[in-house]
Amino acid sequence: MKKKKAASLEDAIANLRDGSIVLVGGFGYGGVPETLIEGVCDSGLRNLTIVNNNAGTGHTGIARLLEEGVVGKMICSFPFASESHVFKELYAAGKVDLEVVPQGTMAERMRNAGAGLGGFLTPTGVGTEIAEGKPEFEMDGKTYILEKPLRGDFALIKALKADKRGNLVFRKSARNFNPVMAMAAEFTIAEVAEEVEVGDLDPEIIVTPSVYVDCYLVTGG
Amino acid sequence: MARIMTKPDKPLLTRDQVARRLARDLEADWVVNIGIGMPTMAVQYVPPERDVILHSENGIIGMGPPPEREEDIDRDLMSAGKGPVTLIPGGAYVHHADSFSLARGGRLDCAVLGAFQVAANGDLANWKVLGASAGNIGGAMDIAVGARQTFAIMTHLSKDGSAKIVDTLTYPPTALGVVTRVYTDMAVLSVTEDGFVLEEVAPGLTAEDVQAACDAKLILPDTLCEIAA
């Protein structure tokens, strides 16, 4: 059985490179891989593209990534939250790029990448700025635009438990983007509160099967 | 820039009263997505026995009210607005792609969204103000496009007095032809093939007051109801 457990935080994120596209799970407080993000903050990496629903709030998590100068570009659906001071300042100063994507399109673009598909047709964004430059299709009297898959070099996700194979279960709405990001990245790193033996997770409730998980870090929290 | 309109020199409905009025139209057993801000205020006025199923974009199907006791707040159970909530009995969790599949796939009976502007053909603007280089889309584009109907809830006029009920959007659109009803502090309007129909007015206001605060021609019904505030 392939050993996926990281020996340390540094070990877990050792493969990240300058310029990597990094999918970061979490929505609000739930499902945020806080430990992994802290590790990236301290890594000295530069020019990462970060995919997350938001652009960080306060001074922790993604806001700290921005503050440490790690981020070259954000891809998100809701960048200007009231507490997103760090991002707003950097964006206004032209120090970070931004791509705003409708939230459902963002999720589906990642699922699409994970599913080996080359894009999908969505009604979302038709007639808006989002449609600019994208091919339009008519089908059964309805208009759709073509959206392309969004692949990550890495995904940093958070789950409740991993078994030693790397199967994951989540907790409540902390699931959010984490399972689709696990699918969409070349290399997925999961931060988990608890590690259990193979066989301890009911196979009927495993949300992310181990094939999507390359490495997990047990944080105990 | 939308036109500056005439605001009546009379008391208008409070935000709570508008939310309460909207809540009356959320029907039993509907699956409803509630946007952040003013739409969220409507939730408290939906009686539990109506069993409206609230969908939260971050993967909650059957979102319940905030927990009553502080010690029951769970950081893993938050609304789209990032506030603490609960799960109703029989509720379920899904991941983000499934959550939006549900929305785009036509499973929402209704979406309740805030708005900067609504046009006479049902076009909705709520993500980006005029002249801004970027804005917040969140889940609004997917949800407005996917829901069977969209209720817009908003103040009738902008803070600067400009029109939000307009003939044609001047703000960047969120979705085209989606709004079916509009609830404001002055009126309830429905959006029809012929344009806005003024359904109800706030107590003390006349149809002329509402028309003077709209940059679109309103169709008047045979009998105009007063909003039971």
Side-chain angles (χ1 to χ4, degrees):
Chain A
M1 196 168 74
K2 199 190 279 181
K3 186 184 169 296
K4 296 181 179 175
K5 184 178 179 178
S8 65
L9 173 57
E10 293 70 27
D11 179 36
I13 60 167
N15 292 329
L16 271 69
R17 292 288 172 266
D18 289 347
S20 292
I21 299 171
V22 185
L23 317 177
V24 181
F27 184 99
Y29 301 115
V32 182
E34 291 168 12
T35 309
L36 295 175
I37 293 172
E38 287 299 303
V40 178
C41 285
D42 298 332
S43 66
L45 287 164
R46 288 290 174 269
N47 201 29
L48 299 187
T49 293
I50 299 290
V51 182
N52 182 267
N53 189 62
N54 299 83
T57 53
H59 292 275
T60 59
I62 286 171
R64 201 190 143 209
L65 275 180
L66 288 156
E67 222 161 23
E68 298 284 348
V70 176
V71 186
K73 180 180 179 182
M74 289 296 314
I75 299 179
C76 39
S77 87
F78 202 95
F80 304 100
S82 54
E83 301 291 312
S84 300
H85 307 298
V86 175
F87 174 76
K88 287 175 192 168
E89 214 166 277
L90 290 170
Y91 180 70
K95 289 180 177 164
V96 61
D97 291 335
L98 171 66
E99 180 182 343
V100 183
V101 181
Q103 198 174 144
T105 294
M106 196 169 118
E108 190 61 22
R109 283 178 65 191
M110 289 187 278
R111 200 197 66 82
N112 209 252
L117 301 174
F120 60 99
L121 300 178
T122 179
T124 303
V126 169
T128 77
E129 281 177 25
I130 294 302
E132 284 170 17
K134 293 172 185 164
E136 274 191 10
F137 295 85
E138 295 279 336
M139 227 175 332
D140 300 330
K142 216 173 158 182
T143 309
Y144 300 87
I145 56 173
L146 176 69
E147 291 283 0
K148 291 181 181 167
L150 174 56
R151 190 176 296 281
D153 297 314
F154 297 90
L156 309 182
I157 66 166
K158 184 176 181 179
L160 178 64
K161 292 179 190 178
D163 70 15
K164 286 183 173 170
R165 241 185 228 291
N167 291 301
L168 303 179
V169 295
F170 298 87
R171 187 168 178 275
K172 303 187 177 183
S173 62
R175 183 183 304 192
N176 57 65
F177 280 101
N178 288 300
V180 278
M181 288 178 167
M183 293 175 72
E186 296 295 331
F187 193 92
T188 292
I189 308 157
E191 164 177 344
V192 300
E194 192 187 340
E195 177 193 45
V196 298
E197 293 300 325
V198 170
D200 281 358
L201 297 179
D202 177 354
E204 299 286 358
I205 65 154
I206 290 169
V207 172
T208 295
S210 63
V211 292
Y212 292 121
V213 179
D214 298 285
C215 169
Y216 64 89
L217 177 73
V218 184
T219 58
Chain B
M1 180 71 201
R3 270 209 303 150
I4 302 294
M5 309 306 293
T6 309
K7 189 173 183 176
D9 189 21
K10 297 172 185 175
L12 307 182
L13 296 182
T14 64
R15 289 158 65 89
D16 260 312
Q17 286 173 313
V18 183
R20 194 183 312 162
R21 172 62 195 86
L22 184 147
R24 278 215 302 278
D25 290 349
L26 299 178
E27 294 181 18
D29 304 318
W30 271 9
V31 182
V32 179
N33 181 285
I34 299 275
I36 58 178
M38 214 168 159
T40 303
M41 297 170 69
V43 175
Q44 60 188 310
Y45 298 114
V46 182
E49 61 273 18
R50 221 183 278 168
D51 204 26
V52 168
I53 310 249
L54 297 179
H55 165 254
S56 186
E57 64 193 17
N58 52 322
I60 309 172
I61 301 164
M63 179 173 65
E68 282 173 15
R69 302 180 312 171
E70 198 171 332
E71 58 264 40
D72 292 332
I73 291 177
D74 187 336
R75 285 165 65 92
D76 287 344
L77 187 44
M78 296 280 170
S79 69
K82 323 291 199 284
V85 292
T86 51
L87 189 73
I88 64 166
Y93 303 112
V94 295
H95 64 57
H96 247 88
D98 281 351
S99 177
F100 279 92
S101 297
L102 180 158
R104 279 189 310 266
R107 307 297 168 152
L108 296 174
D109 293 291
C110 181
V112 182
L113 299 174
F116 296 151
Q117 283 183 337
V118 178
N121 59 359
D123 290 357
L124 168 72
N126 78 349
W127 77 281
K128 183 174 160 182
V129 294
L130 212 55
S133 63
N136 292 318
I137 299 174
M141 282 191 183
D142 301 278
I143 289 162
V145 157
R148 287 160 189 260
Q149 51 191 326
T150 296
F151 293 172
I153 179 169
M154 60 186 196
T155 57
H156 203 94
L157 293 168
S158 299
K159 282 190 184 127
D160 68 359
S162 61
K164 297 173 80 169
I165 305 279
V166 294
D167 195 43
T168 320
L169 296 182
T170 57
Y171 280 40
T174 301
L176 305 184
V178 294
V179 177
T180 49
R181 284 174 82 84
V182 187
Y183 300 80
T184 78
D185 47 5
M186 294 177 64
V188 178
L189 305 112
S190 55
V191 180
T192 69
E193 281 184 9
D194 302 318
F196 287 112
V197 173
L198 180 59
E199 302 280 359
E200 300 174 22
V201 294
L205 296 192
T206 64
E208 292 70 35
D209 290 331
V210 180
Q211 178 63 75
C214 294
D215 197 6
K217 179 92 182 84
L218 303 183
I219 300 165
L220 300 185
D222 295 337
T223 51
L224 186 61
C225 299
E226 190 171 90
I227 296 173

